[in-house]
Amino acid sequence: MSRAMICAPQPEAVEIGADILARGGNAIDAAVACAFAQGVADNLMCGIGGFGFAQVYAPLRGVHTTYDFMSTAPASVRGDMWADLLEGETRDGFGFILKGRVNDISYRSVAVPGMLKGYQAMHAGFGKLAWRDVVAPAIALAADGYTVTPFVRQYWVTPERMGRVEIIDRISHVPQARPLYFGADGEPHPVGARVRNPELAATLSIIARDGADSFFHGAIADRIDADFRAHDGLLSRRDLENYRVTERAPIRRAYRGWELAAAPPPASGLMLLKMLGLLAHFDLAALGHNSAAYIRLLAEVMKRAQIDKERHIGDPDFMPIPLEPFTSPELLAAEAAAIKRGERAIVPRVAPKAVESAETTHLSVVDGEGNIVSMTHTLGMQSGVITPGLGFMYNAAMAMFDPRPGRAMSLAPGKKRVSSMAPSILFKDGRPALVIGAPGGSNIPMGILQVILNVVDFGMPIGEAVDAPRMAATGNVIDVSHRIPQRVCEALRRDGYDVLR
């Protein structure tokens, strides 16, 4: 297909998506094929044991929708079952740390994976090619092997420093994981190594032949159920059978003549709406890009959005999500005035630990018919669990549920995990102009926000807008890129801010 574009962090997966477009597939076909391949080549970031959120725009059909395939808490969960195990919370609010790390690495850390149901729903609604044809390239990649890149290798061996289980311990947690990540010498595979995963190739072959239902109702579901029963896991076949994808309309906000279409709860598009609504009260260009005054303003805006996310955003099927804190013109004007007066927001944290990292990935696709997919998908963290013979890592999504009852993200059977994911499309004069999303845990909305501001307020071309150094304030510390000068950081510290560069 001519005049098409696909973007994702994994070159092999992007090439597969581009080939699908060249063979006559549309953006949805390419997105699903690319996502399957990402789950092979970058299998600690995403995969069929994970979950995600996607926005699909199909103008010729008059459709603009989102697909929520977030993980749900298994039916065996009790709201208070971990209340006495709480030790702390990550500094950016991306997860809770429990005694024994039971929510972080173990069969009990796994929530119901919705990934395949999401791919299936998108493809069934919009795909042009046969399902087996969009799965086939990932099967070949798993069978023939993917190349270990410097980023992947670095991720395996870098110390965690986050209060969570080390990555090296996750990838060696069960014997069946070791061939995927370690050589015969016991060392992690080196950069450039070819890693084959015949068990995942066999699993994907079943899915290609029998459809995604084989994972939720068929032979794969039987193997998952037996494995989790044998290891005191929470996940069961009944949870798989009962899983459903939810479609919702995007949420929208006008900003300086543009319009943002963002992902609704339990994703974090509302955070983007709030931050843009607050920033509309300021002349950002006059402050100067990445000046101390600009970063201070963004930090205060980000903290206020983070506070409201943690206070109000949950699973909309379990609780009403108030829109006023995120969209009310009166409340936004009052908060903007408070920022102008120099008032500072404090993000509440329980014994905060170090900041969370980016166990997530994203893809964006546009085709010649104007179809668009913006999809973020992830394992959240890795549970360390691989069912023998299936070849994929499960999510550790239970770590994001609040063990304290009575809160927006508290545990409940069937409840969907809240996410910082925010796959978005920005329109100008009624036409899509920017397709965007990001990995990065709680930093996701903050990164997306800054690229939007770089384009809209500072007039940067997209390459420069993405490459410009960024900052984030998801808690009470401002994290900045090393490319932001020390003099800017020192000015912020003199103003009383804690800055990590």
Side-chain angles (χ1 to χ4, degrees):
M1 178 178 289
S2 62
R3 303 190 67 234
M5 181 181 294
I6 181 167
C7 178
Q10 302 84 4
E12 289 164 304
V14 170
E15 186 172 357
I16 283 171
D19 287 344
I20 290 290
L21 290 166
R23 289 166 47 196
N26 63 16
I28 293 81
D29 294 317
V32 173
C34 180
F36 270 114
Q38 286 178 299
V40 177
D42 208 353
N43 50 64
L44 296 188
M45 296 292 161
C46 62
I48 59 176
F51 53 93
F53 215 104
Q55 187 171 167
V56 175
Y57 176 71
L60 297 184
R61 299 194 193 185
V63 176
H64 191 182
T65 189
T66 70
Y67 290 91
D68 164 4
F69 41 102
M70 300 300 295
S71 281
T72 57
S76 57
V77 161
R78 301 190 321 275
D80 62 350
M81 68 181 192
W82 289 336
D84 60 341
L85 301 180
L86 180 62
E87 288 186 342
E89 187 177 2
T90 56
R91 175 161 60 82
D92 66 349
F94 192 74
F96 295 86
I97 299 171
L98 305 185
K99 294 176 184 176
R101 305 301 188 264
V102 64
N103 65 334
D104 192 24
I105 181 169
S106 74
Y107 278 81
R108 297 178 72 80
S109 71
V110 180
V112 186
M115 194 80 83
L116 270 172
K117 283 277 190 173
Y119 298 167
Q120 179 190 51
M122 287 189 292
H123 182 266
F126 301 96
K128 290 175 64 178
L129 301 183
W131 171 257
R132 62 180 178 276
D133 292 334
V134 300
V135 185
I139 297 171
L141 185 62
D144 298 339
Y146 70 92
T147 302
V148 177
T149 65
F151 172 80
V152 168
R153 178 56 160 72
Q154 180 184 20
Y155 179 71
W156 291 352
V157 300
T158 299
E160 180 76 4
R161 298 191 300 271
M162 300 174 187
R164 288 193 176 279
V165 174
E166 298 285 344
I167 300 301
I168 200 76
D169 294 326
R170 296 177 188 276
I171 61 179
S172 58
H173 185 62
V174 293
Q176 53 270 26
R178 294 195 67 85
L180 300 178
Y181 307 106
F182 297 89
D185 60 358
E187 293 296 314
H189 293 306
V191 172
R194 295 289 290 178
V195 179
R196 293 173 175 81
N197 191 342
E199 293 181 348
L200 179 57
T203 299
L204 293 176
S205 296
I206 296 171
I207 292 166
R209 184 191 67 213
D210 300 336
D213 283 349
S214 60
F215 185 96
F216 296 89
H217 300 276
I220 299 174
D222 289 336
R223 297 179 72 171
I224 293 171
D225 184 73
D227 187 31
F228 276 74
R229 287 180 184 275
H231 293 91
D232 194 32
L234 298 171
L235 181 64
S236 72
R237 182 188 174 101
R238 181 175 61 145
D239 295 314
L240 296 171
E241 291 174 341
N242 290 337
Y243 186 85
R244 300 289 184 272
V245 173
T246 303
E247 263 194 86
R248 298 185 181 92
I251 52 178
R252 299 176 181 271
R253 168 171 287 286
Y255 180 73
R256 306 200 201 280
W258 299 61
E259 184 183 47
L260 173 70
S268 286
L270 279 174
M271 293 183 69
L272 287 173
L273 267 61
K274 177 168 185 127
M275 291 188 289
L276 291 173
L278 288 171
L279 291 169
H281 293 268
F282 298 84
D283 184 349
L284 304 188
L287 294 177
H289 186 261
N290 279 350
S291 67
Y294 178 73
I295 291 175
R296 176 196 176 275
L297 170 60
L298 290 193
E300 291 302 326
V301 165
M302 289 174 180
K303 287 191 290 181
R304 284 163 170 79
Q306 187 73 24
I307 290 168
D308 280 336
K309 173 203 172 185
E310 294 177 16
R311 182 178 296 158
H312 299 299
I313 297 181
D315 184 342
D317 291 333
F318 278 72
M319 58 178 286
I321 312 296
L323 298 181
E324 290 77 10
F326 302 93
T327 62
S328 165
E330 294 77 17
L331 291 179
L332 292 172
E335 289 193 59
I339 294 172
K340 290 177 181 179
R341 291 193 300 269
E343 295 181 16
R344 299 184 181 184
I346 302 296
V347 182
R349 288 282 180 264
V350 180
K353 304 290 183 180
V355 71
E356 189 54 77
S357 59
E359 287 79 14
T360 300
T361 193
H362 182 84
L363 63 88
S364 298
V365 194
V366 181
D367 68 25
E369 295 177 351
N371 297 310
I372 294 172
V373 178
S374 178
M375 178 162 64
T376 312
H377 54 144
T378 186
L379 297 182
M381 292 292 291
Q382 310 85 15
S383 63
V385 173
I386 297 177
T387 293
L390 295 186
F392 64 87
M393 180 78 73
Y394 293 95
N395 68 80
M398 294 303 293
M400 271 303 295
F401 287 99
D402 195 329
R404 299 167 294 178
R407 297 172 182 263
M409 293 192 290
S410 295
L411 285 161
K415 190 175 186 179
K416 284 195 172 175
R417 173 196 190 276
V418 173
S419 175
S420 295
M421 294 178 187
S424 300
I425 303 173
L426 200 65
F427 291 79
K428 179 68 172 176
D429 299 325
R431 295 170 58 86
L434 178 64
V435 185
I436 189 169
S442 293
N443 291 316
I444 289 173
M446 316 317 185
I448 294 172
L449 172 73
Q450 288 167 87
V451 175
I452 291 173
L453 299 178
N454 291 346
V455 170
V456 174
D457 288 88
F458 295 96
M460 296 182 190
I462 187 59
E464 183 181 341
V466 171
D467 191 52
R470 295 190 288 269
M471 51 74 64
T474 57
N476 299 307
V477 175
I478 301 176
D479 294 282
V480 301
S481 162
H482 277 274
R483 291 184 292 144
I484 292 175
Q486 280 282 18
R487 57 182 167 76
V488 172
C489 300
E490 289 304 318
L492 290 163
R493 292 185 182 112
R494 287 194 298 271
D495 197 21
Y497 285 95
D498 188 0
V499 181
L500 290 180
R501 184 168 179 261

